[in-house]
Short mmCIF file of all heavy atoms in Angstrom, two decimals:
data_model
loop_
_atom_site.label_atom_id
_atom_site.label_comp_id
_atom_site.label_asym_id
_atom_site.label_seq_id
_atom_site.Cartn_x
_atom_site.Cartn_y
_atom_site.Cartn_z
N THR W 126 120.15 88.31 93.04
CA THR W 126 120.96 89.52 92.93
C THR W 126 121.19 89.86 91.46
O THR W 126 120.95 89.03 90.56
CB THR W 126 122.32 89.35 93.63
OG1 THR W 126 123.12 88.45 92.87
CG2 THR W 126 122.14 88.82 95.04
N ASN W 127 121.68 91.06 91.20
CA ASN W 127 121.97 91.43 89.81
C ASN W 127 123.21 90.72 89.27
O ASN W 127 123.53 90.83 88.10
CB ASN W 127 122.11 92.95 89.66
CG ASN W 127 123.20 93.53 90.54
OD1 ASN W 127 124.00 92.80 91.13
ND2 ASN W 127 123.23 94.85 90.63
N GLU W 128 123.90 89.94 90.15
CA GLU W 128 125.02 89.11 89.71
C GLU W 128 124.58 87.68 89.41
O GLU W 128 125.38 86.85 88.99
CB GLU W 128 126.11 89.08 90.80
CG GLU W 128 126.73 90.43 91.11
CD GLU W 128 127.61 90.95 89.98
OE1 GLU W 128 128.05 90.13 89.13
OE2 GLU W 128 127.86 92.17 89.94
N GLY W 129 123.30 87.36 89.66
CA GLY W 129 122.78 86.03 89.36
C GLY W 129 122.78 85.07 90.53
O GLY W 129 122.44 83.90 90.37
N GLN W 130 123.16 85.52 91.72
CA GLN W 130 123.09 84.66 92.90
C GLN W 130 121.64 84.55 93.36
O GLN W 130 120.89 85.53 93.33
CB GLN W 130 123.95 85.25 94.03
CG GLN W 130 125.40 85.42 93.65
CD GLN W 130 126.10 86.48 94.48
OE1 GLN W 130 125.45 87.41 94.95
NE2 GLN W 130 127.39 86.34 94.65
N ARG W 131 121.26 83.33 93.81
CA ARG W 131 119.89 83.10 94.24
C ARG W 131 119.88 82.64 95.70
O ARG W 131 120.57 81.69 96.06
CB ARG W 131 119.20 82.07 93.34
CG ARG W 131 119.08 82.51 91.90
CD ARG W 131 118.22 81.57 91.07
NE ARG W 131 118.73 80.21 91.04
CZ ARG W 131 119.67 79.76 90.22
NH1 ARG W 131 120.24 80.60 89.35
NH2 ARG W 131 120.06 78.49 90.25
N PHE W 132 119.08 83.31 96.51
CA PHE W 132 118.96 83.01 97.94
C PHE W 132 117.51 82.60 98.24
O PHE W 132 116.58 83.20 97.70
CB PHE W 132 119.29 84.24 98.78
CG PHE W 132 120.70 84.73 98.63
CD1 PHE W 132 121.09 85.45 97.51
CD2 PHE W 132 121.65 84.49 99.61
CE1 PHE W 132 122.39 85.92 97.36
CE2 PHE W 132 122.95 84.96 99.48
CZ PHE W 132 123.32 85.66 98.35
N ALA W 133 117.34 81.63 99.13
CA ALA W 133 116.01 81.21 99.55
C ALA W 133 116.01 81.01 101.06
O ALA W 133 116.91 80.39 101.61
CB ALA W 133 115.60 79.93 98.84
N MET W 134 114.99 81.57 101.73
CA MET W 134 114.85 81.43 103.18
C MET W 134 113.39 81.73 103.53
O MET W 134 112.60 82.09 102.66
CB MET W 134 115.81 82.36 103.93
CG MET W 134 115.51 83.83 103.85
SD MET W 134 115.93 84.65 102.28
CE MET W 134 117.69 84.57 102.34
N GLN W 135 113.04 81.61 104.80
CA GLN W 135 111.66 81.85 105.22
C GLN W 135 111.42 83.29 105.70
O GLN W 135 110.28 83.75 105.72
CB GLN W 135 111.25 80.86 106.31
CG GLN W 135 110.96 79.47 105.77
CD GLN W 135 109.90 79.48 104.67
OE1 GLN W 135 108.81 80.01 104.84
NE2 GLN W 135 110.23 78.89 103.53
N SER W 136 112.46 83.99 106.10
CA SER W 136 112.28 85.39 106.50
C SER W 136 113.58 86.15 106.29
O SER W 136 114.66 85.57 106.31
CB SER W 136 111.83 85.49 107.96
OG SER W 136 112.87 85.09 108.83
N ILE W 137 113.45 87.45 106.08
CA ILE W 137 114.62 88.30 105.89
C ILE W 137 114.29 89.70 106.40
O ILE W 137 113.13 90.13 106.34
CB ILE W 137 115.03 88.36 104.39
CG1 ILE W 137 116.43 88.97 104.23
CG2 ILE W 137 114.03 89.11 103.55
CD1 ILE W 137 117.54 87.99 104.35
N PHE W 138 115.29 90.39 106.93
CA PHE W 138 115.12 91.75 107.44
C PHE W 138 116.13 92.66 106.75
O PHE W 138 117.28 92.28 106.57
CB PHE W 138 115.33 91.78 108.96
CG PHE W 138 114.37 90.88 109.69
CD1 PHE W 138 114.71 89.56 109.97
CD2 PHE W 138 113.13 91.34 110.09
CE1 PHE W 138 113.83 88.72 110.62
CE2 PHE W 138 112.24 90.51 110.75
CZ PHE W 138 112.59 89.20 111.01
N TRP W 139 115.69 93.84 106.37
CA TRP W 139 116.53 94.77 105.63
C TRP W 139 116.50 96.11 106.35
O TRP W 139 115.47 96.78 106.41
CB TRP W 139 116.01 94.90 104.20
CG TRP W 139 116.75 95.89 103.34
CD1 TRP W 139 117.98 96.45 103.56
CD2 TRP W 139 116.31 96.42 102.09
NE1 TRP W 139 118.32 97.29 102.54
CE2 TRP W 139 117.33 97.29 101.61
CE3 TRP W 139 115.16 96.24 101.32
CZ2 TRP W 139 117.21 97.99 100.42
CZ3 TRP W 139 115.04 96.94 100.12
CH2 TRP W 139 116.06 97.79 99.68
N ASP W 140 117.65 96.51 106.89
CA ASP W 140 117.81 97.83 107.51
C ASP W 140 118.45 98.72 106.45
O ASP W 140 119.66 98.69 106.24
CB ASP W 140 118.71 97.72 108.76
CG ASP W 140 118.73 99.00 109.56
OD1 ASP W 140 118.52 100.08 108.96
OD2 ASP W 140 118.98 98.94 110.78
N GLN W 141 117.62 99.50 105.79
CA GLN W 141 118.10 100.28 104.65
C GLN W 141 119.04 101.40 105.09
O GLN W 141 119.95 101.78 104.35
CB GLN W 141 116.90 100.86 103.88
CG GLN W 141 117.25 101.32 102.48
CD GLN W 141 116.02 101.73 101.68
OE1 GLN W 141 114.97 101.97 102.24
NE2 GLN W 141 116.17 101.81 100.38
N ARG W 142 118.86 101.92 106.29
CA ARG W 142 119.75 102.97 106.78
C ARG W 142 121.17 102.46 106.99
O ARG W 142 122.15 103.16 106.77
CB ARG W 142 119.21 103.55 108.09
CG ARG W 142 118.00 104.47 107.91
CD ARG W 142 117.52 105.02 109.23
NE ARG W 142 116.41 105.94 109.05
CZ ARG W 142 115.70 106.44 110.03
NH1 ARG W 142 115.97 106.11 111.28
NH2 ARG W 142 114.71 107.28 109.79
N LYS W 143 121.27 101.22 107.46
CA LYS W 143 122.58 100.63 107.72
C LYS W 143 123.09 99.82 106.53
O LYS W 143 124.17 99.24 106.59
CB LYS W 143 122.52 99.73 108.96
CG LYS W 143 122.24 100.49 110.24
CD LYS W 143 122.19 99.55 111.43
CE LYS W 143 121.92 100.31 112.72
NZ LYS W 143 121.83 99.39 113.89
N ASN W 144 122.26 99.74 105.47
CA ASN W 144 122.62 98.96 104.27
C ASN W 144 122.92 97.50 104.62
O ASN W 144 123.83 96.90 104.06
CB ASN W 144 123.83 99.58 103.55
CG ASN W 144 123.57 101.02 103.15
OD1 ASN W 144 124.21 101.94 103.65
ND2 ASN W 144 122.62 101.23 102.26
N ARG W 145 122.12 96.94 105.54
CA ARG W 145 122.35 95.55 105.97
C ARG W 145 121.08 94.72 105.78
O ARG W 145 119.97 95.19 105.98
CB ARG W 145 122.73 95.48 107.45
CG ARG W 145 123.97 96.25 107.84
CD ARG W 145 125.21 95.83 107.11
NE ARG W 145 125.62 94.46 107.39
CZ ARG W 145 126.66 93.88 106.83
NH1 ARG W 145 127.41 94.55 105.95
NH2 ARG W 145 126.98 92.64 107.13
#
Side-chain angles (χ1 to χ4, degrees):
T126 71
N127 58 11
E128 298 290 340
Q130 301 156 332
R131 298 189 301 277
F132 297 76
M134 70 284 291
Q135 285 304 307
S136 69
I137 193 87
F138 301 91
W139 178 15
D140 189 334
Q141 198 173 17
R142 285 181 177 172
K143 295 180 180 178
N144 302 115
R145 302 301 295 178

